Amino acid sequence: MQENVLNPRRESMLLWLLALTQFTVIMDFMVMMPLSPQLMRAFQVGPGAISGAVSAYAWCAGLSGLLAATYIDRYARKTLMLTMFCLFTLSNLACALAPTFHVLVLSRAFAGLTGGVLSSITMAIIADVIPAQRRGAATGIVMTSFGMAAVAGVPAGIMLGAHFNWTAPFYLLVVMSVLIWCAAAIVLPRLDGHLANGVRKLKDIVPDLLGLFKVRRQRDAFLLSGTNMLGSMMVIPFIAPTLVGNLGVQPVDMTWVYLCGGAAALASSRWLGRMADRVGALTMFRIAILWSIVPVMLLTHLVPLPMALIVLTFVLFMTSMSARNIPMQAMLTTIPAPAQRGAFLSVNSAIQQLGTGLGAWIGGQFLVTDAAGHIANYGVNGWLTAGLALFGAFWAQRLRAPQAAPVGVTTAPEMTSNK
C-alpha cells in the first residue's frame, strides 16, 4: 500500500521536480570529469589527483548515505529534502570559491555528503508515492535527469569553463539550485505517510539497519548495485582526459560529445523505463548490462577517428548506461518491505557511492600520463569493466522475486513485481 496518494497532475509535477533536483546532483558530479583537463592545468595535477577528487565526493556520499539510513525514515521527506538541498547549494558555492586544489577536494567532499542523501530521499519518495507496477516508468522520468545533465548541464558547464574558467559551472549550479529549491518548497507535499505509526527510536533503527544485511536477497542487491557502479566509474571519469590527451579533441569540442551523448540518454530514458515495466526490470537489466560491454570496449580502445565517430561511440556508451541503470533502480525499489524502504535505499545509495569512489580510484591507479600528456592503459579499465558486467548479468538472477505463495498465504506485492 502506498503511504501517499497524489492526483496524476500533482504526481507528474512531483516526478519532474525530483528529476530537476537529481539534475543538479548529477551535473555537480559529472561536470568535474569533462573539466578535468582544465583542472589539471589550473592546479598542476595529474589524472590520479582528479580521480581522487571524484572519489572524495563519492566516498563522502556513501558515508552520508549510510548515516542517512539511521534517520531518513524519522522525518517528513519534504523537510529533509529542503534541508539537504540547501546544504548542497552551499557546497557548490564553496567549490566555486576554492583557492587551492586541496580546498576544492574538501568542498567536493562536502558536496558528496549532501548529494548522497538527496539521492536516497529521491528514491524513497518514488517508492512512497508510485505503485510498484508503475515504478519503472516513474524512475525513467526521474532518470531523465542523467540525460538532462549530459545534454544541457554538462555542455553548458564545459562552454562556460572554456570561455571563462573552471569556476563558472559551479556558480551556474548555485543559481539553478536556488531556483529549484524555491519550486520544491512550493510543489512538494509534506510526504509524511511513513510516520503514521510514530517515529522510531535510534536504538530500534540500528538493529534493523544491520538486519538489512541478514536477508540474502537484499545482500545480493547491494553487491549488484555496488559492482555496477564500480565498473562504470572505472571508465567514466577518464573519458574527457583521454579524448583530449590522446585523440586531440579540444576542450570546447567536448561540449558536442556530451551534448549528443546526453541527448541520446534523455531521448531513450522514458522508453527504457516503459520497457522495464513491460518485459520486467530483471530481464531488461541483464540484456542491457551485457550490451553495455560493446560501447565500453569501443570507448576504452579508441584510435584517432573523425569527430563524428567519436561522438557516436559516446552516444552508444551513454545510452547503454541508462539502459542498465533504469531497470536496476526500478528493481531495487521492489525488494524491501515498505517500512524498511527508506533505510534500504539509503544503504543502497551509500553502497553505490562507495562503488563509484572505489571505481574512480582503482581506474586512476592503472593510468599513466607521459610528458606529452598522453594517457596509457585505459584499455585495462575497459577489460575490467567488461568482466564486472558479465558478473552483474549472472548475479542479477539472484534477485528474481520469490515463488508465488501457496493459496491462503499472503505475499506482499512489493516482493512479487520482478519478472
Side-chain angles (χ1 to χ4, degrees):
M1 179 179 293
Q2 299 306 112
E3 294 89 342
N4 303 275
V5 178
L6 304 178
N7 62 52
R9 181 173 178 274
R10 191 74 180 274
E11 180 184 296
S12 179
M13 291 175 63
L14 172 66
L15 290 175
W16 284 108
L17 182 64
L18 292 177
L20 288 173
T21 303
Q22 285 299 100
F23 166 81
T24 60
V25 175
I26 295 171
M27 177 181 170
D28 179 50
F29 179 66
M30 289 179 63
V31 79
M32 277 285 289
M33 302 171 202
L35 287 177
S36 54
Q38 293 165 267
L39 291 169
M40 289 165 64
R41 288 196 301 269
F43 294 108
Q44 296 298 300
V45 295
I50 297 298
S51 72
V54 173
S55 296
Y57 179 104
W59 284 333
C60 287
L63 176 62
S64 70
L66 286 175
L67 293 175
T70 65
Y71 63 79
I72 191 172
D73 289 326
R74 304 181 71 199
Y75 300 95
R77 307 291 192 210
K78 178 177 181 177
T79 301
L80 192 57
M81 183 172 179
L82 291 179
T83 301
M84 288 299 169
F85 202 13
C86 179
L87 295 174
F88 171 78
T89 304
L90 292 175
S91 73
N92 279 297
L93 182 60
C95 290
L97 297 174
T100 66
F101 189 72
H102 290 95
V103 174
L104 177 64
V105 172
L106 289 174
S107 301
R108 298 305 298 154
F110 183 38
L113 288 172
T114 53
V117 181
L118 283 173
S119 297
S120 299
I121 298 170
T122 296
M123 292 311 299
I125 290 174
I126 291 174
D128 282 350
V129 174
I130 308 298
Q133 64 270 22
R134 291 197 289 112
R135 282 187 203 146
T139 304
I141 292 175
V142 175
M143 291 291 285
T144 58
S145 56
F146 181 76
M148 288 191 295
V151 75
V154 174
I158 297 172
M159 190 70 71
L160 288 171
H163 289 285
F164 297 97
N165 59 51
W166 66 266
T167 64
F170 293 104
Y171 283 119
L172 175 63
L173 273 167
V174 170
V175 173
M176 289 191 300
S177 296
V178 169
L179 295 175
I180 296 169
W181 188 97
C182 292
I186 297 171
V187 172
L188 277 180
R190 182 168 173 79
L191 294 174
D192 57 357
H194 60 288
L195 302 176
N197 295 324
V199 177
R200 302 178 65 210
K201 296 180 180 179
L202 185 60
K203 67 178 182 179
D204 298 323
I205 294 175
V206 173
D208 286 350
L209 182 60
L210 296 176
L212 292 174
F213 293 89
K214 295 180 181 179
V215 180
R216 194 211 67 154
R217 192 161 172 253
Q218 293 180 169
R219 289 198 308 270
D220 292 343
F222 291 147
L223 180 59
L224 178 66
S225 190
T227 54
N228 180 63
M229 294 307 299
L230 188 151
S232 299
M233 292 306 296
M234 292 186 69
V235 173
I236 294 174
F238 313 107
I239 293 173
T242 303
L243 292 182
V244 172
N246 293 12
L247 303 186
V249 177
Q250 296 301 309
V252 70
D253 291 334
M254 289 301 300
T255 301
W256 298 106
V257 176
Y258 276 85
L259 180 66
C260 294
L266 180 63
S268 63
S269 59
R270 296 186 69 181
W271 177 82
L272 291 168
R274 290 193 295 270
M275 284 297 297
D277 288 336
R278 184 177 305 167
V279 305
L282 175 60
T283 301
M284 180 75 175
F285 172 78
R286 297 183 75 197
I287 294 171
I289 199 168
L290 290 174
W291 154 246
S292 71
I293 294 174
V294 175
V296 162
M297 296 304 290
L298 288 174
L299 195 61
T300 55
H301 292 81
L302 275 181
V303 296
L305 292 170
M307 189 65 181
L309 292 180
I310 293 175
V311 170
L312 177 60
T313 303
F314 189 69
V315 164
L316 293 175
F317 176 78
M318 290 286 285
T319 306
S320 72
M321 291 299 104
S322 289
R324 61 196 249 179
N325 289 336
I326 289 172
M328 187 185 72
Q329 290 299 115
M331 182 168 55
L332 292 176
T333 65
T334 69
I335 290 175
Q340 293 182 307
R341 189 181 295 141
F344 174 87
L345 293 173
S346 294
V347 172
N348 179 71
S349 178
I351 290 172
Q352 285 184 331
Q353 294 292 350
L354 292 173
T356 294
L358 186 60
W361 181 78
I362 292 175
Q365 303 311 301
F366 290 108
L367 303 184
V368 178
T369 306
D370 62 22
H374 299 145
I375 297 174
N377 298 335
Y378 195 31
V380 175
N381 293 19
W383 284 108
L384 292 173
T385 298
L388 287 170
L390 290 173
F391 168 80
F394 161 76
W395 195 258
Q397 186 66 21
R398 296 169 65 93
L399 270 63
R400 184 178 295 279
Q403 293 282 332
V407 176
V409 178
T410 301
T411 302
E414 296 289 323
M415 302 296 289
T416 60
S417 56
N418 288 343
K419 296 182 182 177

